């Protein structure tokens, strides 16, 4: 099959980024979209991401070769019901959700198995909405496909090829394996980060000493605790069994660690950190996963007026954009009082090289 017309149901960060990427690699394709707000459609039209838009699902989508469902999981299931009566035989439906089990169940219930290939682009941003979409958002990110057993293999191959052309890394899994994997590497870590942040909150003193000195490593490992409460409740209610089972195993491992520490079991924590360091270091430079990476370095600067401004000016003159900058009072390195965060790896690497050439002491967290 040749894909010439693409439809998007909802057009936020991910949907908009996919539409923009398809526009780049298939400039002659026709792209249509449905969004709740006309302003979103107007913005997408102005950006050239789509050719036509509507605020309701209608016959505009009846002859699409592929339709992307880009709303939350529960909403996508409802969209399937609305699309079913108007689908042509050739149409392939996909989604971009981080949980696959429930939508595969809905697809099966509606008899749409031969039309469906689940999709999960493992990319994102703390920013949302079409206004923050980018055609390169998916570059070097894993993009998991979960085809049904009856969908045409030709359609799977073409989707796989499309993902590669967008710069992402396609990986085919079944829906059950996908949900178990993402529970372990994304869903449980988000819950753990939220629990750790709340643990410190609940045990802090009235004058908030813990909060005052929390920085560096603590802020890094709890960063994802700032994620959307609505989104994560939806995920936890959709991937319930996998998350609960893995949480139980994690709790059991924490209890083992607690007993070892309480009884001063010699060598236990040494072996624990040796094993975790070896494993973690083995994948530090692999492609992007579901939890976005922070690009930051730590710089030793003199404690004097204008020092931060001077450094920021040097980077600005080199056209290196800074995402965030701040003093670290809880210093985990011997030096490195200033933390500078960038938007991508290229900017971070360029900044480190520049600052080192100017004899700054720079430290990178791997």
């Amino acid at each position: 099959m040749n894909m010439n017309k693409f439809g998007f149901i909802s057009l936020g960060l991910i949907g908009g980024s996919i539409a923009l990427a398809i526009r780049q690699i298939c400039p002659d394709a026709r792209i249509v979209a449905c969004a709740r707000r006309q302003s979103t459609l107007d913005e997408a039209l102005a950006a050239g991401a789509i050719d036509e838009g509507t605020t309701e699902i209608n016959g505009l989508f009846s002859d699409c070769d592929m339709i992307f469902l880009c709303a939350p999981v529960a909403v996508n299931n409802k969209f399937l019901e609305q699309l079913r009566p108007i689908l042509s035989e050739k149409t392939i439906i996909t989604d971009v959700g981080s949980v696959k089990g429930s939508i595969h169940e809905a697809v099966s219930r509606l008899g749409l198995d031969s039309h469906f290939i689940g999709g999960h682009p493992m990319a994102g941003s703390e920013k949302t909405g079409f206004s923050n979409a980018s055609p390169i958002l998916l570059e070097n990110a894993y993009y998991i496909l979960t085809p049904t057993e009856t969908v045409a293999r030709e359609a799977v191959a073409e989707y796989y090829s499309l993902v590669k052309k967008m710069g992402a890394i396609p990986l085919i899994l079944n829906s059950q394996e996908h949900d178990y994997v993402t529970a372990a590497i994304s869903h449980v870590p988000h819950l753990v980060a939220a629990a750790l942040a709340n643990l410190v909150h609940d045990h802090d003193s009235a004058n908030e000493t813990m909060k005052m000195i929390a920085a560096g490593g603590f802020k890094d490992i709890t960063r994802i605790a700032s994620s959307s409460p609505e989104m994560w409740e939806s995920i936890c209610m959709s991937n319930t069994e996998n998350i609960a089972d893995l949480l139980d195993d994690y709790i059991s491992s924490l209890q083992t660690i607690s007993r070892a520490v309480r009884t001063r079991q010699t060598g236990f924590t040494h072996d624990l950190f040796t094993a975790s360091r070896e494993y973690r270091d083995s994948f530090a430079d692999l492609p992007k996963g579901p939890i976005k990476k922070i690009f930051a370095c730590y710089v030793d600067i003199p404690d004097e007026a204008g020092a931060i401004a001077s450094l920021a000016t040097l980077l600005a003159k080199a056209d290196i954009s800074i995402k965030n900058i701040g003093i670290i009072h809880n210093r985990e390195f011997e030096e490195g009082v200033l933390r500078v965060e960038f938007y991508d790896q290229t900017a971070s690497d360029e900044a480190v090289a520049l600052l080192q050439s100017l004899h700054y002491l720079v430290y990178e967290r791997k």
Side-chain angles (χ1 to χ4, degrees), residues 201-321:
H201 171 270
D202 294 344
H203 289 77
D204 207 352
S205 58
N207 59 0
E208 296 187 323
T209 303
M210 292 182 183
K211 179 181 179 180
M212 179 176 66
I213 65 174
F218 182 81
K219 290 188 73 175
D220 283 348
I221 63 177
T222 58
R223 171 176 52 86
I224 54 177
S226 297
S227 300
S228 164
E230 293 78 15
M231 179 182 76
W232 281 99
E233 181 176 36
S234 175
I235 288 172
C236 290
M237 295 302 100
S238 301
N239 201 17
T240 307
E241 293 301 321
N242 287 321
I243 293 173
D245 288 346
L246 286 162
L247 273 176
D248 288 345
D249 288 346
Y250 180 62
I251 291 167
S252 177
S253 71
L254 288 178
Q255 290 173 333
T256 300
I257 294 169
S258 177
R259 287 192 295 270
V261 172
R262 191 178 296 277
T263 59
R264 294 182 171 85
Q265 186 175 326
T266 303
F268 181 90
T269 51
H270 181 278
D271 292 344
L272 176 72
F273 278 96
T274 297
S276 66
R277 181 177 65 182
E278 289 176 354
Y279 181 63
R280 197 267 182 188
D281 288 351
S282 72
F283 57 71
D285 295 323
L286 291 176
K288 292 188 288 187
I291 299 176
K292 67 180 184 295
K293 184 179 179 180
I294 289 292
F295 307 101
C297 67
Y298 298 78
V299 187
D300 186 35
I301 62 171
D303 184 13
E304 60 187 32
I308 297 176
S310 296
L311 185 144
T313 301
L314 287 171
L315 296 176
K317 286 182 176 179
D319 291 326
I320 300 172
S321 297

Side-chain angles (χ1 to χ4, degrees), residues 25-38:
I25 61 179
C26 306
D28 296 328
R30 181 164 174 77
I31 303 176
V32 299
C34 175
R36 286 184 303 165
R37 299 182 182 89
Q38 183 62 45

